[in-house]
Amino acid sequence: MYVILAFDTEDIYYPPEYRIDDIPGWLAEVMSEVGVTGTFFVMGEKAETLLARGRRDVLEKMKPHAIASHQQGNRYPLLPQVVEGRGWRDGVAAVRAYEDWVSEQHRRAFGKEPVGFSRHNCYFAAQHVAVAAERGLPYMYNVTQIPGSRQPLWYAGAVTFPSE
């Protein structure tokens, strides 16, 4: 049996005293203790927040695991705004620049490149999948799927994992 352990790491709204920032560190620590590797889909905004709050302890616990891009976050520009009014090629170029920005946030926080891209619900843009494909990366939470199937599929040149 194959299992993907994937965790969205995105909450930036709670103040530090709620200890929400501890959760990805706890998950990473438990997985490391039992010899399992997971994937953390981290918003660039969350990576910045952990750095700004001095949470190097959490970042270090997460570092042995796979770190993927969960886009910038919930501040503007949102991904649909990045591609709005653009043709396919211009939209792909705009998403490429956007994801370069997010990748830089991941490099600052974790010292490594993202191993995949993701974003779900209304913040999706097909050009984002195309940029993942250019970089040889998988895409999680794709809105496209084969009816009645939850199997991974190829879409816009990248292996994708469907989500509703």
Side-chain angles (χ1 to χ4, degrees), residues 5-68:
L5 297 175
F7 304 95
D8 289 359
T9 310
E10 55 190 43
D11 191 303
I12 53 117
Y13 304 106
Y14 286 95
E17 55 270 16
Y18 280 76
R19 301 191 63 197
I20 297 298
D21 292 343
D22 293 339
I23 294 170
W26 295 335
L27 290 168
E29 190 171 38
V30 167
M31 286 187 296
S32 293
E33 286 173 2
V34 298
V36 173
T37 302
T39 302
F40 290 90
F41 288 87
V42 182
M43 288 182 170
E45 193 173 9
K46 181 65 175 185
E48 286 181 342
T49 300
L50 289 169
L51 282 171
R53 291 178 177 174
R55 294 308 307 263
R56 279 267 166 220
D57 59 321
V58 172
L59 296 170
E60 289 301 316
K61 289 175 184 176
M62 293 171 70
K63 198 182 271 189
H65 299 276
I67 304 296

Side-chain angles (χ1 to χ4, degrees), residues 55-133:
R55 294 308 307 263
R56 279 267 166 220
D57 59 321
V58 172
L59 296 170
E60 289 301 316
K61 289 175 184 176
M62 293 171 70
K63 198 182 271 189
H65 299 276
I67 304 296
S69 170
H70 199 40
Q71 294 185 22
Q72 168 51 31
N74 293 319
R75 64 181 176 201
Y76 298 108
L78 300 172
L79 195 56
Q81 294 170 317
V82 171
V83 300
E84 184 178 12
R86 300 176 193 264
W88 179 259
R89 287 187 182 150
D90 290 342
V92 168
V95 170
R96 192 180 300 121
Y98 174 91
E99 202 55 55
D100 287 344
W101 172 43
V102 178
S103 293
E104 177 55 33
Q105 294 166 322
H106 284 106
R107 283 190 296 275
R108 277 196 308 272
F110 300 102
K112 59 186 179 179
E113 297 292 323
V115 300
F117 289 175
S118 71
R119 193 52 196 218
H120 40 80
N121 61 43
C122 62
Y123 297 134
F124 177 79
Q127 295 91 330
H128 199 225
V129 180
V131 173

